[in-house]
Amino acid sequence: MATRRVPDREAAKAARFTHQIVEHFRSDPQLAKSHAETRNGHVVKVLCWLALLRDAQNRSLPLPPRPRVTCEEAQWQHFRESHPRQAAHMLPGQIMVDGRYPWLYLKDAAHARDLQLLFAEVRALPANFNKADSAAEGKGLTEAFRAAGEYVLHGRGPLRQDITAAYRTLWVPGARAAYAAAEEQKRSRPSVPSPVYDLERNIVNLDEIEEAGQSQWDVHDQIRILMRYGASLDEAPPELRPHKMDEILGRP
């Protein structure tokens, strides 16, 4: 895995306090709900800033009419975390526009900085969150994010309309399907093996049983996390409200 860079030391310091210290005192169910809801809101913010790139007046670099949109592995993060917790990214990947970071195209320096910081945002969470995230990303979460970004960047309708459509018709069903597929994959994992005895009735695979038992507990925890992720999609994030989108877009 490539070294992930810190975009802003002061922002990283604030994020470290919030997500390493404050979040530590919340329960896992609360964290799963908060993590997913924040992700949904961040997706809307990214869609807003990508939509701005449709207007040449908002760009510092030229773009073709239908630029190529890809989503790669995360490349920036505010801080690292030590065992037993891990730094879990809020967004499911790094959006690239024609091979460049999207903030490089934004003429407005504040918007560019905010967008870059969004991709670097992580939370200090138990390792099972990252495992649940990775499973969902492999089952289509990253693609749902990419497709939604492409939709708004290629769109020609009113900005808020296209952003809302991208969120509701691409992100929500894509993310929901990814969480469900990851959950199903976890449920299909082998169960704890049955004891194997020798002639004297000693259990000869005790280590295997203990290891599988811990692994099985972790899998059940990841399933619960994925279920809460899916439930977070039932309500639209505040960022999707018209006045909130206008604030993100920098409209008066």
Side-chain angles (χ1 to χ4, degrees):
M1 181 176 64
T3 301
R4 291 169 178 169
R5 292 166 284 180
V6 178
D8 185 295
R9 296 291 175 183
E10 288 304 312
K13 189 184 300 182
R16 187 178 298 111
F17 174 80
T18 300
H19 300 309
Q20 286 185 310
I21 298 176
V22 177
E23 296 286 1
H24 180 69
F25 296 99
R26 305 180 72 185
S27 68
D28 282 3
Q30 287 177 313
L31 284 176
K33 182 174 183 290
S34 173
H35 188 57
E37 289 175 346
T38 303
R39 172 185 291 145
N40 295 336
H42 282 13
V43 167
V44 176
K45 291 179 181 179
V46 171
L47 297 180
C48 287
W49 285 318
L50 289 178
L52 285 177
L53 296 180
R54 285 157 38 170
D55 187 342
Q57 293 185 342
N58 296 324
R59 297 197 302 258
S60 58
L61 294 171
L63 271 177
R66 295 179 66 83
R68 183 170 57 94
V69 179
T70 57
C71 193
E72 303 177 357
E73 181 182 330
Q75 298 174 26
W76 301 81
Q77 69 183 59
H78 283 317
F79 60 83
R80 298 186 181 279
E81 187 53 276
S82 57
H83 183 78
R85 295 189 296 170
Q86 296 179 356
H89 277 85
M90 302 304 304
L91 291 170
Q94 174 63 62
I95 291 285
M96 304 291 282
V97 178
D98 268 5
R100 289 190 173 103
Y101 295 121
W103 55 83
L104 297 178
Y105 293 97
L106 283 168
K107 184 181 294 185
D108 186 293
H111 283 163
R113 178 181 179 275
D114 288 345
L115 180 56
Q116 182 182 16
L117 294 180
L118 213 58
F119 281 102
E121 188 170 337
V122 290
R123 277 185 170 175
L125 297 171
N128 283 331
F129 280 80
N130 253 346
K131 292 177 181 177
D133 287 351
S134 295
E137 288 162 11
K139 291 296 184 180
L141 191 68
T142 300
E143 172 55 22
F145 185 37
R146 186 210 66 80
E150 182 180 73
Y151 183 94
V152 296
L153 195 52
H154 291 181
R156 292 294 179 266
L159 292 189
R160 289 193 324 212
Q161 178 179 306
D162 282 353
I163 293 163
T164 301
Y167 182 85
R168 294 189 184 280
T169 67
L170 291 168
W171 170 252
V172 170
R176 197 184 298 280
Y179 295 143
E183 183 184 333
E184 181 60 30
Q185 182 185 51
K186 299 289 183 183
R187 292 186 187 279
S188 66
R189 290 279 298 271
S191 59
V192 177
S194 300
V196 176
Y197 299 92
D198 61 16
L199 293 176
E200 297 178 353
R201 299 297 295 169
N202 297 311
I203 299 176
V204 298
N205 64 335
L206 189 58
D207 289 344
E208 181 185 2
I209 291 172
E210 290 178 350
E211 182 178 348
Q214 178 59 46
S215 176
Q216 194 73 10
W217 188 93
D218 287 342
V219 168
H220 286 315
D221 192 37
Q222 292 157 32
I223 289 171
R224 288 192 292 269
I225 290 168
L226 288 163
M227 290 173 66
R228 292 187 178 94
Y229 285 177
S232 76
L233 297 164
D234 292 342
E235 294 185 12
E239 289 83 354
L240 205 62
R241 296 170 186 162
H243 73 281
K244 286 290 186 181
M245 282 191 278
D246 284 344
E247 288 178 9
I248 299 166
L249 292 165
R251 290 176 169 178

